[in-house]
Amino acid sequence: MRQNKAQVFVISGPSGSGKTTLLSSVLKEKTLQKKFARSVSFTTRPRRSKEQNGKDYFFISEAEFKKSLRAKKILEWTRYLSYYYGTPKEFVDNQLKTGKHILLCLDFKGALRIKKLYGNHCTTIFILPPSLTELTKRIEKRCHLTKREEIEQRLQLAKEEISTASKYDYCLLNDNLKTVVEELKAIITKKINPQS
Ligand code: 5GP
């Protein structure tokens, strides 16, 4: 499982914590871009208007998801609200074999599973939103076409997720994108170049 010195970084944080924007900003740096692969998960949740199939997620049916699970094509998976999410095993294995580091955006269950699989080669990072008020605003904006019920569920889950933050290797407060991007880059760079 632990090929070369490739590292696996798991980023978690509640819906609306800004983790996707953060990862995209970190990967804009050319030196990191070449060394990293970002895993694109399978999901059964409906695609949001700005999302692209194959870039944000692979949007598949529940039947396809279950078939992939049975075929052991999914490295780890979770059920979030009423949808399934899973990490493609072949992609991660292939990238690690070629020495690429992997970035994964997962919930707590996924973070624990990946830590167990990759041990010291895995770093887990939790992204905290600036405040619950700000988080509520972001979730409401994101879910503007969906039901009030989903917003309430996401907020409730966010509170539960925040209570797991201390179990991560690092916890970063996302109150300023520029600062948190630098903090995340520093953690990543130190881990992939331990001698520097
Ligand atoms: P969203 O619907 O907001 O895109 O994602 C909901 C949650 O599922 C987020 O916490 C996200 O990080 C997590 N997630 C996305 N893909 C995966 C996956 O493949 N595995 C696990 N365990 N969690 C995932």
Side-chain angles (χ1 to χ4, degrees):
M1 188 64 71
R2 296 174 191 169
Q3 301 98 336
N4 305 331
K5 286 187 184 137
Q7 301 290 324
V8 182
F9 295 88
V10 179
I11 316 288
S12 298
S15 176
S17 59
K19 54 188 189 298
T20 315
T21 315
L22 178 59
L23 274 196
S24 308
S25 307
V26 166
L27 288 179
K28 273 192 192 135
E29 172 139 347
K30 291 271 182 297
T31 49
L32 290 179
Q33 232 176 54
K34 282 186 275 172
K35 297 178 183 167
F36 276 85
R38 181 171 171 184
S39 168
V40 177
S41 293
F42 299 114
T43 186
T44 61
R45 113 157 135 59
R47 190 175 65 81
R48 294 185 193 127
S49 58
K50 284 186 185 156
E51 288 178 329
Q52 287 175 33
N53 191 30
K55 182 172 177 277
D56 299 288
Y57 282 107
F58 290 106
F59 296 94
I60 61 175
S61 67
E62 203 169 304
E64 285 172 300
F65 191 93
K66 288 183 175 166
K67 198 173 156 203
S68 300
L69 259 185
R70 282 194 300 273
K72 304 212 181 318
K73 289 184 175 168
I74 295 182
L75 185 61
E76 65 70 44
W77 65 278
T78 196
R79 206 177 147 105
Y80 185 93
L81 298 176
S82 50
Y83 307 117
Y84 290 98
Y85 297 79
T87 302
K89 183 173 182 330
E90 199 180 349
F91 175 82
V92 172
D93 285 348
N94 287 346
Q95 297 301 320
L96 289 175
K97 265 186 214 148
T98 63
K100 280 219 174 176
H101 308 298
I102 301 277
L103 282 168
L104 298 161
C105 248
L106 309 177
D107 70 351
F108 182 54
K109 183 184 171 210
L112 283 184
R113 176 84 186 127
I114 295 292
K115 188 79 179 175
K116 199 166 174 200
L117 282 174
Y118 296 98
N120 287 340
H121 292 251
C122 169
T123 304
T124 56
I125 302 151
F126 193 89
I127 308 300
L128 273 172
S131 66
L132 268 183
T133 317
E134 179 57 30
L135 188 72
T136 309
K137 272 196 223 152
R138 291 185 194 174
I139 293 178
E140 282 175 347
K141 199 170 158 208
R142 175 172 296 181
C143 299
H144 70 287
L145 292 176
T146 60
K147 299 179 280 203
R148 184 80 222 161
E149 195 192 343
E150 180 172 342
I151 297 173
E152 294 301 336
Q153 282 175 333
R154 280 187 178 257
L155 266 173
Q156 183 51 39
L157 273 176
K159 288 178 194 162
E160 287 167 23
E161 286 174 289
I162 289 170
S163 71
T164 66
S166 63
K167 306 268 190 294
Y168 284 73
D169 296 322
Y170 296 91
C171 187
L172 301 178
L173 178 68
N174 187 8
D175 57 352
N176 176 304
L177 183 64
K178 221 172 147 191
T179 313
V180 80
V181 165
E182 290 311 314
E183 288 168 348
L184 183 55
K185 271 195 216 162
I187 292 169
I188 289 175
T189 310
K190 186 157 181 262
K191 187 79 187 189
I192 63 175
N193 306 310
Q195 67 284 8
S196 66

